[in-house]
Amino acid sequence: MSIDTIQKLIRDVPDFPKPGILFKDITPVLQDADGLRAMVEIFVGRWRDMGIEKVVGIESRGFLIGAPVAVELGLGLGLVRKAGKLPFERIQRSYDLEYGSATLEAQVDLVRKGERVVVVDDLLATGGTARATVELVRELGGEVVECGFLIELGFLPGRQVLDDMGVPVFAPIAF
Ligand code: AMP
């Protein structure tokens, strides 16, 4: 399946979760056997030969991409979650997102010092979520080799935010 075909499966839902937001719904991609496999293979192909040591997924759709990608790469999956979900000793970052604000947390054993990780989520918008995640990984001593998103909203500054942090962005689909 081509990237174009995956793109056609992404559903636009206007005014969700707030008026004025055009929500990019990836559930039709996940529910399509070929779409799901193709989505995973895009990331696996990208990261297979980059010396990556761990995949870090951002709650919650980043988990759905990160877990199968990690399995295919023969790597483990680290979780960055919304505040209050992780049980062990943890650090946190608050940040603004396209709609509202939030706090993300990572457990202190998320990464080893110097570990080469990729961060994955479904969509890059303002970049606040990804920036907070990169800060968490870096605070714990990890090296973010790249951030990957199925979708990038090119009219928002997410790519610039990550570029300013020295983090490359991989996003096969842009709107
Ligand atoms: P941001 O921090 O602004 O880059 O927002 C990224 C996070 O919010 C990701 O976890 C996305 O899943 C979610 N998100 C933001 N905007 C949208 C949108 N228009 N459609 C779907 N998800 C979105």
Short mmCIF file of all heavy atoms in Angstrom, two decimals, residues 58-114:
data_model
loop_
_atom_site.label_atom_id
_atom_site.label_comp_id
_atom_site.label_asym_id
_atom_site.label_seq_id
_atom_site.Cartn_x
_atom_site.Cartn_y
_atom_site.Cartn_z
N ILE A 58 4.37 8.14 22.56
CA ILE A 58 3.62 9.15 23.32
C ILE A 58 2.16 8.71 23.40
O ILE A 58 1.54 8.38 22.38
CB ILE A 58 3.70 10.53 22.63
CG1 ILE A 58 5.17 10.97 22.43
CG2 ILE A 58 2.94 11.56 23.44
CD1 ILE A 58 5.33 12.30 21.70
N GLU A 59 1.60 8.76 24.63
CA GLU A 59 0.22 8.36 24.85
C GLU A 59 -0.74 9.16 23.97
O GLU A 59 -0.58 10.38 23.87
CB GLU A 59 -0.16 8.56 26.32
CG GLU A 59 -1.55 8.03 26.65
CD GLU A 59 -1.82 7.98 28.16
OE1 GLU A 59 -0.96 8.40 28.95
OE2 GLU A 59 -2.90 7.51 28.50
N SER A 60 -1.77 8.57 23.43
CA SER A 60 -1.94 7.14 23.39
C SER A 60 -1.74 6.57 21.98
O SER A 60 -1.40 5.42 21.82
CB SER A 60 -3.34 6.77 23.88
OG SER A 60 -4.32 7.36 23.03
N ARG A 61 -1.97 7.42 20.97
CA ARG A 61 -1.85 6.85 19.62
C ARG A 61 -0.40 6.57 19.26
O ARG A 61 -0.14 5.71 18.40
CB ARG A 61 -2.53 7.78 18.60
CG ARG A 61 -4.05 7.75 18.73
CD ARG A 61 -4.73 8.66 17.71
NE ARG A 61 -4.48 10.06 17.95
CZ ARG A 61 -5.22 10.85 18.73
NH1 ARG A 61 -6.28 10.37 19.34
NH2 ARG A 61 -4.92 12.12 18.88
N GLY A 62 0.53 7.23 19.95
CA GLY A 62 1.94 6.89 19.74
C GLY A 62 2.26 5.47 20.19
O GLY A 62 3.20 4.85 19.67
N PHE A 63 1.47 4.95 21.15
CA PHE A 63 1.69 3.56 21.58
C PHE A 63 1.29 2.59 20.48
O PHE A 63 1.89 1.54 20.31
CB PHE A 63 0.84 3.24 22.82
CG PHE A 63 1.15 4.04 24.05
CD1 PHE A 63 0.32 3.96 25.16
CD2 PHE A 63 2.26 4.87 24.13
CE1 PHE A 63 0.58 4.68 26.31
CE2 PHE A 63 2.54 5.60 25.28
CZ PHE A 63 1.68 5.51 26.37
N LEU A 64 0.22 2.96 19.76
CA LEU A 64 -0.32 2.05 18.75
C LEU A 64 0.61 1.91 17.56
O LEU A 64 0.61 0.89 16.87
CB LEU A 64 -1.69 2.56 18.27
CG LEU A 64 -2.71 2.78 19.39
CD1 LEU A 64 -3.99 3.37 18.82
CD2 LEU A 64 -3.00 1.47 20.11
N ILE A 65 1.37 2.97 17.30
CA ILE A 65 2.38 2.91 16.24
C ILE A 65 3.68 2.35 16.81
O ILE A 65 4.33 1.49 16.22
CB ILE A 65 2.62 4.31 15.63
CG1 ILE A 65 1.30 4.89 15.10
CG2 ILE A 65 3.67 4.25 14.52
CD1 ILE A 65 1.39 6.34 14.63
N GLY A 66 4.05 2.84 17.99
CA GLY A 66 5.36 2.49 18.56
C GLY A 66 5.50 1.02 18.88
O GLY A 66 6.59 0.45 18.65
N ALA A 67 4.46 0.39 19.39
CA ALA A 67 4.60 -1.01 19.82
C ALA A 67 4.91 -1.95 18.64
O ALA A 67 5.90 -2.69 18.70
CB ALA A 67 3.35 -1.46 20.58
N PRO A 68 4.12 -1.93 17.57
CA PRO A 68 4.46 -2.84 16.46
C PRO A 68 5.77 -2.47 15.78
O PRO A 68 6.48 -3.36 15.29
CB PRO A 68 3.26 -2.72 15.50
CG PRO A 68 2.58 -1.44 15.86
CD PRO A 68 2.85 -1.23 17.33
N VAL A 69 6.09 -1.19 15.73
CA VAL A 69 7.37 -0.77 15.13
C VAL A 69 8.54 -1.31 15.97
O VAL A 69 9.51 -1.84 15.43
CB VAL A 69 7.43 0.77 14.98
CG1 VAL A 69 8.83 1.23 14.61
CG2 VAL A 69 6.42 1.24 13.92
N ALA A 70 8.42 -1.20 17.29
CA ALA A 70 9.48 -1.70 18.17
C ALA A 70 9.66 -3.21 17.99
O ALA A 70 10.79 -3.70 17.89
CB ALA A 70 9.17 -1.36 19.63
N VAL A 71 8.56 -3.92 17.92
CA VAL A 71 8.64 -5.39 17.74
C VAL A 71 9.38 -5.71 16.45
O VAL A 71 10.29 -6.53 16.42
CB VAL A 71 7.23 -6.02 17.74
CG1 VAL A 71 7.30 -7.48 17.29
CG2 VAL A 71 6.60 -5.92 19.12
N GLU A 72 9.00 -5.03 15.37
CA GLU A 72 9.62 -5.31 14.06
C GLU A 72 11.11 -4.94 14.05
O GLU A 72 11.89 -5.57 13.35
CB GLU A 72 8.90 -4.52 12.96
CG GLU A 72 7.55 -5.10 12.58
CD GLU A 72 7.69 -6.46 11.91
OE1 GLU A 72 8.52 -6.61 11.00
OE2 GLU A 72 6.97 -7.39 12.34
N LEU A 73 11.48 -3.92 14.82
CA LEU A 73 12.89 -3.51 14.88
C LEU A 73 13.67 -4.33 15.89
O LEU A 73 14.89 -4.17 16.01
CB LEU A 73 12.99 -2.01 15.24
CG LEU A 73 12.51 -1.02 14.18
CD1 LEU A 73 12.46 0.40 14.76
CD2 LEU A 73 13.42 -1.06 12.95
N GLY A 74 12.98 -5.18 16.65
CA GLY A 74 13.66 -5.96 17.68
C GLY A 74 14.07 -5.11 18.88
O GLY A 74 15.06 -5.41 19.55
N LEU A 75 13.28 -4.05 19.15
CA LEU A 75 13.61 -3.12 20.23
C LEU A 75 12.52 -3.12 21.29
O LEU A 75 11.41 -3.62 21.06
CB LEU A 75 13.75 -1.70 19.67
CG LEU A 75 14.81 -1.50 18.58
CD1 LEU A 75 14.75 -0.08 18.05
CD2 LEU A 75 16.20 -1.83 19.11
N GLY A 76 12.84 -2.50 22.44
CA GLY A 76 11.82 -2.30 23.46
C GLY A 76 11.07 -1.00 23.23
O GLY A 76 11.48 -0.15 22.43
N LEU A 77 9.95 -0.86 23.95
CA LEU A 77 9.09 0.32 23.84
C LEU A 77 9.06 1.04 25.17
O LEU A 77 8.75 0.44 26.21
CB LEU A 77 7.67 -0.11 23.46
CG LEU A 77 6.61 1.00 23.42
CD1 LEU A 77 6.83 1.89 22.21
CD2 LEU A 77 5.21 0.39 23.39
N GLY A 78 9.37 2.33 25.17
CA GLY A 78 9.24 3.17 26.36
C GLY A 78 7.98 4.00 26.26
O GLY A 78 7.57 4.39 25.17
N LEU A 79 7.36 4.29 27.42
CA LEU A 79 6.09 5.01 27.42
C LEU A 79 6.23 6.39 28.04
O LEU A 79 6.75 6.53 29.15
CB LEU A 79 5.05 4.23 28.22
CG LEU A 79 4.79 2.78 27.81
CD1 LEU A 79 3.65 2.21 28.67
CD2 LEU A 79 4.47 2.64 26.33
N VAL A 80 5.73 7.41 27.35
CA VAL A 80 5.54 8.74 27.92
C VAL A 80 4.03 8.93 28.02
O VAL A 80 3.32 8.84 27.02
CB VAL A 80 6.23 9.83 27.07
CG1 VAL A 80 5.77 11.22 27.49
CG2 VAL A 80 7.74 9.70 27.21
N ARG A 81 3.56 9.17 29.26
CA ARG A 81 2.12 9.15 29.49
C ARG A 81 1.61 10.44 30.11
O ARG A 81 2.38 11.23 30.67
CB ARG A 81 1.76 7.99 30.44
CG ARG A 81 2.13 6.62 29.88
CD ARG A 81 1.29 5.52 30.49
NE ARG A 81 -0.10 5.67 30.16
CZ ARG A 81 -1.08 4.85 30.56
NH1 ARG A 81 -0.78 3.83 31.34
NH2 ARG A 81 -2.32 5.05 30.20
N LYS A 82 0.31 10.63 30.00
CA LYS A 82 -0.33 11.76 30.66
C LYS A 82 -0.19 11.61 32.17
O LYS A 82 -0.09 10.48 32.68
CB LYS A 82 -1.80 11.83 30.23
CG LYS A 82 -1.88 12.29 28.77
CD LYS A 82 -3.18 11.94 28.07
CE LYS A 82 -3.03 12.26 26.59
NZ LYS A 82 -4.01 11.54 25.75
N ALA A 83 -0.18 12.74 32.87
CA ALA A 83 0.08 12.73 34.32
C ALA A 83 -0.88 11.80 35.05
O ALA A 83 -2.07 11.72 34.73
CB ALA A 83 -0.05 14.14 34.86
N GLY A 84 -0.33 11.10 36.03
CA GLY A 84 -1.17 10.29 36.92
C GLY A 84 -1.34 8.84 36.50
O GLY A 84 -2.06 8.09 37.17
N LYS A 85 -0.72 8.43 35.39
CA LYS A 85 -0.93 7.06 34.89
C LYS A 85 0.22 6.13 35.26
O LYS A 85 0.02 4.92 35.36
CB LYS A 85 -1.06 7.07 33.37
CG LYS A 85 -2.10 8.03 32.83
CD LYS A 85 -3.44 7.37 32.76
CE LYS A 85 -4.41 8.26 31.99
NZ LYS A 85 -5.69 7.61 31.80
N LEU A 86 1.44 6.68 35.36
CA LEU A 86 2.62 5.82 35.57
C LEU A 86 2.86 5.63 37.07
O LEU A 86 2.89 6.61 37.82
CB LEU A 86 3.85 6.44 34.91
CG LEU A 86 3.84 6.43 33.37
CD1 LEU A 86 4.95 7.31 32.83
CD2 LEU A 86 3.98 5.01 32.84
N PRO A 87 3.10 4.38 37.50
CA PRO A 87 3.15 4.10 38.94
C PRO A 87 4.51 4.34 39.60
O PRO A 87 4.58 4.65 40.78
CB PRO A 87 2.81 2.60 38.99
CG PRO A 87 3.33 2.06 37.70
CD PRO A 87 3.10 3.15 36.68
N PHE A 88 5.60 4.20 38.84
CA PHE A 88 6.94 4.19 39.44
C PHE A 88 7.47 5.63 39.57
O PHE A 88 6.82 6.58 39.13
CB PHE A 88 7.85 3.31 38.56
CG PHE A 88 9.23 3.07 39.12
CD1 PHE A 88 9.40 2.47 40.36
CD2 PHE A 88 10.35 3.43 38.39
CE1 PHE A 88 10.67 2.24 40.86
CE2 PHE A 88 11.63 3.21 38.89
CZ PHE A 88 11.78 2.62 40.13
N GLU A 89 8.65 5.79 40.13
CA GLU A 89 9.28 7.11 40.29
C GLU A 89 9.39 7.79 38.93
O GLU A 89 9.80 7.17 37.95
CB GLU A 89 10.68 6.92 40.88
CG GLU A 89 11.36 8.22 41.28
CD GLU A 89 12.79 8.00 41.76
OE1 GLU A 89 13.14 6.85 42.10
OE2 GLU A 89 13.56 8.97 41.75
N ARG A 90 9.03 9.09 38.87
CA ARG A 90 8.90 9.71 37.54
C ARG A 90 9.23 11.19 37.57
O ARG A 90 9.28 11.81 38.62
CB ARG A 90 7.49 9.47 37.01
CG ARG A 90 6.42 10.07 37.86
CD ARG A 90 5.07 9.31 37.76
NE ARG A 90 4.19 9.79 38.81
CZ ARG A 90 4.08 9.21 39.99
NH1 ARG A 90 4.69 8.12 40.27
NH2 ARG A 90 3.32 9.74 40.91
N ILE A 91 9.43 11.72 36.36
CA ILE A 91 9.62 13.16 36.17
C ILE A 91 8.50 13.65 35.26
O ILE A 91 7.86 12.85 34.57
CB ILE A 91 11.00 13.47 35.54
CG1 ILE A 91 11.16 12.78 34.19
CG2 ILE A 91 12.11 13.07 36.50
CD1 ILE A 91 12.43 13.20 33.44
N GLN A 92 8.27 14.97 35.25
CA GLN A 92 7.16 15.47 34.41
C GLN A 92 7.49 16.80 33.74
O GLN A 92 8.38 17.53 34.14
CB GLN A 92 5.85 15.56 35.20
CG GLN A 92 5.88 16.51 36.36
CD GLN A 92 4.48 16.64 36.99
OE1 GLN A 92 4.07 17.75 37.32
NE2 GLN A 92 3.74 15.55 37.16
N ARG A 93 6.74 17.09 32.68
CA ARG A 93 6.81 18.34 31.93
C ARG A 93 5.40 18.78 31.58
O ARG A 93 4.62 17.98 31.06
CB ARG A 93 7.53 18.15 30.59
CG ARG A 93 9.02 18.18 30.65
CD ARG A 93 9.57 19.61 30.79
NE ARG A 93 11.02 19.60 30.73
CZ ARG A 93 11.81 19.09 31.65
NH1 ARG A 93 11.30 18.52 32.73
NH2 ARG A 93 13.11 19.10 31.52
N SER A 94 5.10 20.06 31.81
CA SER A 94 3.82 20.62 31.37
C SER A 94 4.05 21.37 30.06
O SER A 94 5.14 21.87 29.80
CB SER A 94 3.25 21.56 32.42
OG SER A 94 2.93 20.82 33.57
N TYR A 95 3.03 21.42 29.23
CA TYR A 95 3.19 22.00 27.90
C TYR A 95 1.83 22.42 27.36
O TYR A 95 0.78 21.98 27.85
CB TYR A 95 3.83 20.97 26.95
CG TYR A 95 2.95 19.78 26.69
CD1 TYR A 95 2.26 19.65 25.48
CD2 TYR A 95 2.77 18.80 27.66
CE1 TYR A 95 1.43 18.58 25.26
CE2 TYR A 95 1.94 17.72 27.43
CZ TYR A 95 1.27 17.62 26.23
OH TYR A 95 0.43 16.56 26.02
N ASP A 96 1.87 23.27 26.31
CA ASP A 96 0.63 23.68 25.62
C ASP A 96 0.45 22.82 24.39
O ASP A 96 1.42 22.45 23.74
CB ASP A 96 0.73 25.14 25.19
CG ASP A 96 0.84 26.07 26.39
OD1 ASP A 96 0.17 25.79 27.41
OD2 ASP A 96 1.62 27.05 26.31
N LEU A 97 -0.79 22.51 24.04
CA LEU A 97 -1.04 21.83 22.78
C LEU A 97 -2.09 22.58 21.98
O LEU A 97 -2.54 23.64 22.41
CB LEU A 97 -1.41 20.36 22.99
CG LEU A 97 -2.72 19.93 23.60
CD1 LEU A 97 -2.94 18.44 23.40
CD2 LEU A 97 -2.75 20.22 25.08
N GLU A 98 -2.40 22.06 20.80
CA GLU A 98 -3.28 22.80 19.89
C GLU A 98 -4.59 23.15 20.59
O GLU A 98 -5.16 24.20 20.35
CB GLU A 98 -3.53 21.95 18.63
CG GLU A 98 -4.05 22.74 17.46
CD GLU A 98 -4.37 21.85 16.27
OE1 GLU A 98 -4.17 20.62 16.36
OE2 GLU A 98 -4.83 22.39 15.26
N TYR A 99 -5.07 22.24 21.42
CA TYR A 99 -6.29 22.54 22.18
C TYR A 99 -6.02 22.26 23.66
O TYR A 99 -5.92 21.14 24.09
CB TYR A 99 -7.48 21.72 21.67
CG TYR A 99 -7.16 20.32 21.20
CD1 TYR A 99 -7.08 19.25 22.09
CD2 TYR A 99 -6.94 20.04 19.86
CE1 TYR A 99 -6.79 17.98 21.67
CE2 TYR A 99 -6.65 18.77 19.42
CZ TYR A 99 -6.59 17.74 20.34
OH TYR A 99 -6.31 16.47 19.91
N GLY A 100 -5.79 23.32 24.43
CA GLY A 100 -5.62 23.18 25.87
C GLY A 100 -4.17 23.02 26.30
O GLY A 100 -3.25 23.40 25.59
N SER A 101 -3.98 22.47 27.51
CA SER A 101 -2.63 22.22 28.01
C SER A 101 -2.65 20.89 28.75
O SER A 101 -3.71 20.36 29.06
CB SER A 101 -2.18 23.35 28.93
OG SER A 101 -2.88 23.28 30.15
N ALA A 102 -1.45 20.37 29.00
CA ALA A 102 -1.37 19.04 29.59
C ALA A 102 -0.02 18.83 30.24
O ALA A 102 0.89 19.65 30.09
CB ALA A 102 -1.59 17.98 28.51
N THR A 103 0.10 17.74 30.98
CA THR A 103 1.37 17.36 31.61
C THR A 103 1.69 15.93 31.19
O THR A 103 0.82 15.05 31.22
CB THR A 103 1.26 17.46 33.14
OG1 THR A 103 0.96 18.81 33.50
CG2 THR A 103 2.56 17.04 33.80
N LEU A 104 2.94 15.72 30.80
CA LEU A 104 3.41 14.37 30.45
C LEU A 104 4.41 13.90 31.49
O LEU A 104 5.13 14.72 32.08
CB LEU A 104 4.10 14.39 29.08
CG LEU A 104 3.21 14.54 27.86
CD1 LEU A 104 4.06 14.53 26.59
CD2 LEU A 104 2.16 13.43 27.79
N GLU A 105 4.47 12.59 31.67
CA GLU A 105 5.39 12.00 32.64
C GLU A 105 6.17 10.84 32.02
O GLU A 105 5.68 10.16 31.10
CB GLU A 105 4.61 11.47 33.85
CG GLU A 105 3.98 12.59 34.67
CD GLU A 105 3.27 12.09 35.91
OE1 GLU A 105 2.92 10.89 35.99
OE2 GLU A 105 3.05 12.92 36.81
N ALA A 106 7.37 10.64 32.56
CA ALA A 106 8.20 9.48 32.20
C ALA A 106 8.75 8.88 33.48
O ALA A 106 9.11 9.62 34.41
CB ALA A 106 9.36 9.92 31.30
N GLN A 107 8.81 7.58 33.54
CA GLN A 107 9.46 6.94 34.69
C GLN A 107 10.97 7.08 34.54
O GLN A 107 11.49 7.19 33.41
CB GLN A 107 9.00 5.48 34.79
CG GLN A 107 7.51 5.42 35.12
CD GLN A 107 6.95 4.03 35.36
OE1 GLN A 107 6.03 3.88 36.14
NE2 GLN A 107 7.48 3.02 34.69
N VAL A 108 11.67 7.07 35.68
CA VAL A 108 13.09 7.41 35.66
C VAL A 108 13.93 6.37 34.93
O VAL A 108 15.08 6.65 34.56
CB VAL A 108 13.64 7.64 37.09
CG1 VAL A 108 13.01 8.90 37.70
CG2 VAL A 108 13.39 6.41 37.98
N ASP A 109 13.39 5.17 34.71
CA ASP A 109 14.12 4.14 33.97
C ASP A 109 13.68 4.07 32.49
O ASP A 109 13.90 3.08 31.82
CB ASP A 109 13.96 2.77 34.63
CG ASP A 109 12.51 2.33 34.71
OD1 ASP A 109 11.61 3.13 34.34
OD2 ASP A 109 12.27 1.18 35.12
N LEU A 110 13.06 5.15 32.00
CA LEU A 110 12.59 5.16 30.60
C LEU A 110 13.73 4.87 29.62
O LEU A 110 13.56 4.10 28.67
CB LEU A 110 11.96 6.52 30.26
CG LEU A 110 11.56 6.71 28.80
CD1 LEU A 110 10.34 5.85 28.46
CD2 LEU A 110 11.27 8.18 28.49
N VAL A 111 14.86 5.54 29.85
CA VAL A 111 16.02 5.34 28.95
C VAL A 111 17.29 5.20 29.78
O VAL A 111 17.36 5.69 30.92
CB VAL A 111 16.20 6.53 27.97
CG1 VAL A 111 15.08 6.58 26.96
CG2 VAL A 111 16.32 7.84 28.72
N ARG A 112 18.28 4.56 29.19
CA ARG A 112 19.62 4.51 29.79
C ARG A 112 20.40 5.74 29.34
O ARG A 112 20.10 6.32 28.29
CB ARG A 112 20.36 3.25 29.33
CG ARG A 112 19.84 1.95 29.93
CD ARG A 112 20.61 0.76 29.40
NE ARG A 112 20.24 0.43 28.02
CZ ARG A 112 20.97 0.71 26.96
NH1 ARG A 112 22.12 1.33 27.07
NH2 ARG A 112 20.54 0.37 25.74
N LYS A 113 21.43 6.13 30.10
CA LYS A 113 22.27 7.26 29.70
C LYS A 113 22.88 6.98 28.32
O LYS A 113 23.44 5.91 28.08
CB LYS A 113 23.40 7.47 30.71
CG LYS A 113 22.90 7.85 32.09
CD LYS A 113 23.23 9.31 32.46
CE LYS A 113 22.67 9.71 33.81
NZ LYS A 113 21.21 9.63 33.94
N GLY A 114 22.72 7.92 27.41
CA GLY A 114 23.29 7.77 26.08
C GLY A 114 22.50 6.89 25.14
O GLY A 114 22.90 6.70 23.98
#
